[in-house]
């Protein structure tokens, strides 16, 4: 799945900016231009732009509409690509349905047949979460959305809305670059999906020197330079056909997992960083380069080397920056909240209803992100209710789906309802989310060391796999201070991290620590969430809290 690019063979038109917007009934058909609309910005969530409660919290279908005209050439195929909508969407051109998007965080890409002159694009988005969607949710009486995940259910066109052209003959439709690193040899295997008569592959190094020129298939480079966080060296593969050209960046790196270490290019690495969210004031989940660049600058400032795309695939632009800045990525699919059977029954509750979509999203995620050197592991879910015996088969199918598509390690963030989880044998790396002295033993920092010691020791003894603490954190109101350290103060967050890290350091098979969360983020309104989740090390507008300085020092020393 290639990201649309502009070059001498391809046109690219950006429809971002203002759309016409309104809420619509379930049976609405866009046979004529919508009436009674108001302006709305794209890419952005509609919710942050609204001032009235009933519109901000609207549950149901909304319409985005925009007219456009482009030069139409008869040798070209035109495609519409929307990076993400929140969530399911139906897409219409000039009143005719051209496709559906079945999920909220992966691209929609379809051939379109624009007419010469004005065209009307209509996107109808449904933000309702059910047992067939991901994240999973339920609609209660009175059209109330009930969710079991801790981030705001934003709606809108969240990523770029683009139209691009491909030549009708000889188009490059997909490129897959597999890299192989042995002691003294570095090779690539390049597959190109195209009906062109000739496909030429040229590999350029970072200074533009040609290090390979020839056919696709097995490729040996005349010189090779590995990609790593310290040295994020990127090559460009230029694929050319009679009628098309596409430049795909890639890096060469090797990922391995042993029973007690995570290896990058043959050397053990300690993953240090954060679980994140796509979330910012005014934008909600709208992709914005300024926010993305600031985030990566902060990640470098604090000496982090890894993020998890909690709890859904992030915009492709973010992964491009991760490749460039040298930030490793645990790439997570949007399977969050699949624990509805907790306190109920798996079979009576959602059971296997999300399984087909869950598999499709894994396939699309891997197809989208397979060429990013920064992606070092796929996370197939966050905190599913794996203590229920019947979910074993569900996850066997999920892991089999992913294994067939990738050589990278697989995990589930927190599948360890230890000792009751039924799936700890499936992942390559165990990831645990733990909040000792926060949700349990609140305010008692002294419990962290013994409790963290207990879970890390027991898991490694029982499963003999490396462990990453993928979540630990404390809500902190920026500017609230207390001595001795009390919950919600900056001092408590600082001390909480110190205590957790002390214990992590004592377990060499604990190969990573991802603090929850990089920045404060919006959630649904609830008693324990004053203005959202405040576990950020940075505020929502990306300024440091006191604990950021503890982590900056610690991450600099950790190798
Ligand atoms: C978790 C979830 C995360 C929440 C976090 C919290 O375990 O994975 O989505 O935001 O806890 O702060 O409660």
């Amino acid at each position: 799945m290639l990201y649309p690019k502009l070059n001498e063979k391809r046109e690219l038109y950006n429809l971002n900016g203002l759309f016409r917007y309104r809420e619509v009934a379930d049976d609405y058909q866009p046979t004529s231009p919508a009436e009674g609309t108001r302006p709305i910005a794209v890419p952005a969530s509609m919710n942050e732009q609204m001032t009235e409660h009933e519109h901000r919290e609207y549950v149901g279908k909304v319409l985005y509409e925009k007219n456009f005209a482009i030069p139409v050439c008869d040798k070209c195929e035109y495609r519409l690509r929307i990076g993400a909508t929140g969530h399911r969407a139906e897409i219409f051109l000039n009143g005719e349905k051209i496709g559906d998007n079945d999920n909220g965080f992966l691209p929609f890409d379809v051939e379109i047949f624009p007419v010469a002159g004005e065209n009307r694009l209509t996107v109808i988005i449904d933000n309702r979460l059910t047992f067939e969607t991901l994240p999973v949710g339920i609609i209660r009486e009175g059209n109330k959305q009930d969710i079991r995940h801790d981030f705001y259910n934003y709606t809108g066109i969240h990523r770029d809305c683009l139209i691009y052209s491909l030549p009708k003959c000889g188009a490059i439709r997909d490129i897959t670059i597999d890299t192989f690193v042995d002691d003294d040899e570095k090779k690539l295997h390049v597959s190109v999906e195209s009906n062109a008569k000739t496909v030429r592959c040229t590999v350029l190094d970072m200074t533009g020197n040609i290090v390979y020129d020839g056919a696709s298939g097995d490729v040996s480079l005349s010189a090779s330079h590995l990609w790593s966080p310290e040295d994020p060296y990127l090559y460009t593969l230029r694929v050319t056909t009679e009628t098309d050209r596409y430049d795909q960046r890639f890096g060469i790196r090797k990922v391995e997992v042993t029973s007690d270490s995570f290896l990058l290019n043959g050397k053990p690495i300690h993953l240090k960083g954060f679980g994140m969210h796509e979330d910012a004031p005014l934008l909600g989940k709208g992709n914005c380069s300024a926010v993305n660049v600031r985030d990566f600058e902060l990640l470098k400032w604090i000496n982090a080397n890894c993020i998890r795309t909690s709890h859904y695939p992030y915009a492709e632009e973010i992964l491009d920056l991760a490749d460039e800045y040298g930030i490793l990525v645990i790439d997570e699919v949007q399977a969050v909240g699949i624990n509805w059977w907790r306190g109920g029954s798996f079979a009576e509750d959602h059971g296997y209803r999300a399984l087909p979509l869950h598999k499709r999203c894994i396939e699309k995620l891997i197809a989208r992100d397979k060429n990013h050197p920064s992606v070092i592991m796929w996370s197939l879910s966050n905190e599913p209710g794996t203590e229920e015996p019947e979910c074993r088969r569900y996850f066997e199918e999920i892991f089999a789906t992913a294994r067939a598509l990738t050589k990278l390690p697989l995990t589930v963030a927190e599948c360890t309802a230890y000792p009751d989880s039924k799936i700890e044998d499936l992942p390559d790396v165990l990831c645990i989310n733990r909040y000792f002295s926060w949700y349990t033993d609140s305010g008692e920092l002294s419990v962290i060391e013994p409790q963290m010691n207990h879970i890390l020791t027991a898991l490694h003894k029982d499963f003999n796999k490396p462990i990453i603490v993928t979540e630990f954190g404390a809500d902190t109101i920026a500017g609230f201070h207390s001595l001795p350290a009390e919950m919600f103060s900056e001092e408590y967050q600082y001390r909480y991290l110190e205590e957790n890290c002390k214990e992590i350091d004592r377990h060499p098979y604990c190969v990573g620590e991802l603090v929850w969360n990089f920045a404060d983020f919006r959630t649904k309104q609830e008693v324990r969430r004053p203005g959202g989740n405040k576990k950020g090390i940075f505020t929502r507008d990306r300024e440091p809290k006191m604990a950021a300085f503890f982590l900056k020092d610690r991450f600099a020393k950790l190798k």
Side-chain angles (χ1 to χ4, degrees), residues 240-376:
T240 351
T241 69
E242 313 83 76
T243 52
D244 199 7
R245 171 166 83 80
Y246 194 88
D247 283 1
Q248 175 67 51
R249 279 195 326 188
F250 69 96
I252 305 173
R253 50 97 183 97
K254 185 179 187 180
V255 176
E256 292 160 289
V257 169
T258 68
S259 64
D260 54 9
S261 48
F262 198 98
L263 304 169
L264 186 75
N265 300 332
K267 290 192 215 118
I269 185 164
H270 188 82
L271 308 176
K272 42 189 186 178
F274 302 92
M276 315 254 298
H277 265 299
E278 287 182 315
D279 177 279
L282 298 177
L283 297 165
K285 292 214 170 307
N287 181 53
C288 167
S289 298
V291 174
N292 297 342
V293 169
R294 172 78 179 175
D295 285 356
F296 279 92
E297 289 293 327
L298 291 174
L299 287 166
K300 283 311 231 191
W301 173 83
I302 206 165
N303 300 309
N305 67 8
C306 184
I307 61 170
R308 174 168 64 116
T309 70
S310 37
H311 297 304
Y312 39 82
Y314 291 0
E316 288 142 291
E317 291 81 350
I318 296 180
L319 292 179
D320 283 342
L321 288 172
D323 293 343
E324 212 167 309
Y325 275 87
I327 296 290
L328 303 164
V329 176
I330 300 175
D331 206 353
E332 187 158 284
V333 78
Q334 61 268 48
V336 55
I338 46 173
N339 49 24
W340 224 275
W341 54 83
R342 275 198 178 138
S345 134
F346 178 82
E348 282 162 29
D349 288 333
H350 54 81
Y352 290 89
R353 284 156 68 182
L355 184 61
L357 178 64
H358 195 162
K359 288 184 184 170
R360 277 203 303 283
C361 287
I362 290 171
E363 285 159 6
K364 283 190 187 168
L365 174 68
I366 296 178
R368 193 194 71 161
D369 294 348
K370 63 190 170 192
N371 293 325
H372 288 282
S374 55
V375 174
I376 48 156

Side-chain angles (χ1 to χ4, degrees), residues 150 311 382-383 433 435 439 471 516 521 529 533 535:
D150 185 35
H311 297 304
N382 181 67
E383 296 186 359
N433 300 347
Y435 291 90
Y439 291 121
E471 287 185 24
W516 192 256
F521 59 92
R529 293 282 179 259
N533 188 311
K535 293 192 185 70

